Amino acid sequence: MDLDGARVLVCGASGVLGAAAARALKEAGASVVAAGRDADRTGEVAKDLGTEPLVFDVVDTRACAETVEAAAEALGGLDALVVATGVAGFGPATEQDAAVAEELFAVDALGPMALVRAASRHLPDQGGCVAVLSAILADLPTNGMAEYGAAKAALSHWLTVLRRENRRRFTVVDLRPPHLDTGLADRALAGDPPKLPAGLDHGQVVDALLQAMRDGASEVVWDAEAKALAVR
Ligand SMILES: NC(=O)c1ccc[n+]([C@@H]2O[C@H](COP(=O)([O-])OP(=O)(O)OC[C@H]3O[C@@H](n4cnc5c(N)ncnc54)[C@H](OP(=O)(O)O)[C@@H]3O)[C@@H](O)[C@H]2O)c1
């Protein structure tokens, strides 16, 4: 898709990756609305975008739909949705608190699905794009991250079916980056992360996101041999 002039909603724009993606899309010529949970950080990003911020909790699926409606109204339509909301949670599978597990699935799988469903009603008949952050964990089950990984795997699976069902209507980008430098692990709902490698510069994910949207790619994944993100 041509990002210049595209109307884009970025959810999770209060986060490190979402904020950088929103600003990069604006820089590329898109009209961008920022949606996030933290009103102050969402507002700061929105100021740079020149649009009104939208504040919502992704656990509330009705609020997800209302946020998409409000963005489409503000932008006069919607060409693309970027979902960068997410939260981590750590601990052995047998010991994870049930409420934490529910919230991980709500934030990392069910909320993003609700956002995409609502956005799909506004995308043009052809040429629209949905880009969603899942994670490398979707392909790489990891001890101490059973629920976070399972929620991301559920999301990634769902995105694959979404892509197949809508291949003539819009493109679906599933971004599955490795551990990043954003500090997400320090904001986990529960537990401490296992020893992690140095985080990849999130700017590389933002560059790959924009490339994938422009090229109509299906995924952004970590190529372990090349030690780089692959857009394909
Ligand atoms: N960092 C990594 O290592 C890594 C690796 C692979 C994939 N990812 C994925 O990349 C995406 C961006 O994460 P990040 O690294 O930029 O972390 P981040 O800075 O913590 O951003 C997370 C975003 O999710 C939002 N969020 C969390 N719970 C929410 C809720 N209940 N309702 C609404 N928004 C909620 C946060 O909103 P508030 O700040 O307003 O609360 C924030 O905007 C996530 O999907 C994450 O899973 C990250």
Side-chain angles (χ1 to χ4, degrees):
M1 73 184 300
D2 187 359
L3 294 177
D4 193 8
R7 299 161 295 181
V8 186
L9 167 62
V10 177
C11 295
S14 50
V16 177
L17 194 55
R23 291 185 171 111
L25 285 161
K26 162 86 176 164
E27 185 74 13
S31 298
V32 185
V33 164
R37 180 174 53 175
D38 183 276
D40 290 344
R41 277 184 279 114
T42 308
E44 271 172 40
V45 177
K47 208 184 291 171
D48 292 345
L49 304 175
T51 50
E52 287 300 312
L54 298 173
V55 177
F56 80 117
D57 191 323
V58 78
V59 167
D60 180 348
T61 51
R62 188 184 296 180
C64 290
E66 287 169 359
T67 298
V68 171
E69 297 303 316
E73 196 176 324
L75 293 166
L78 196 65
D79 300 305
L81 167 72
V82 174
V83 182
T85 52
V87 72
F90 305 108
T94 52
E95 288 170 29
Q96 191 55 276
D97 185 87
V100 170
E102 270 184 36
E103 187 163 349
L104 287 168
F105 272 79
V107 173
D108 291 322
L110 299 174
M113 292 176 195
L115 288 167
V116 171
R117 243 180 249 120
S120 71
R121 294 180 204 118
H122 289 279
L123 296 176
D125 290 342
Q126 281 190 330
C129 177
V130 163
V132 183
L133 265 296
S134 59
I136 194 171
L137 292 177
D139 304 320
L140 194 70
T142 303
N143 293 3
M145 306 193 201
E147 291 77 14
Y148 178 48
K152 291 293 193 178
L155 177 62
S156 184
H157 177 111
W158 189 84
L159 292 170
T160 301
V161 176
L162 177 82
R163 182 182 307 111
R164 290 181 186 163
E165 289 178 349
N166 295 281
R167 64 188 185 285
R168 290 185 221 291
R169 281 194 59 208
F170 52 84
T171 58
V172 176
V173 190
D174 176 8
L175 296 104
R176 304 196 294 282
H179 176 55
L180 306 174
D181 64 356
T182 62
L184 173 90
D186 303 327
R187 294 185 282 280
L189 283 179
D192 295 315
K195 196 167 165 33
L196 294 165
L200 183 75
D201 168 20
H202 68 276
Q204 293 188 35
V205 180
V206 173
D207 291 346
L209 165 70
L210 266 63
Q211 188 191 329
M213 292 176 75
R214 285 192 175 104
D215 295 355
S218 297
E219 54 185 15
V220 173
V221 291
W222 181 244
D223 181 334
E225 263 180 41
K227 292 191 171 51
L229 290 170
V231 178
R232 59 192 193 199

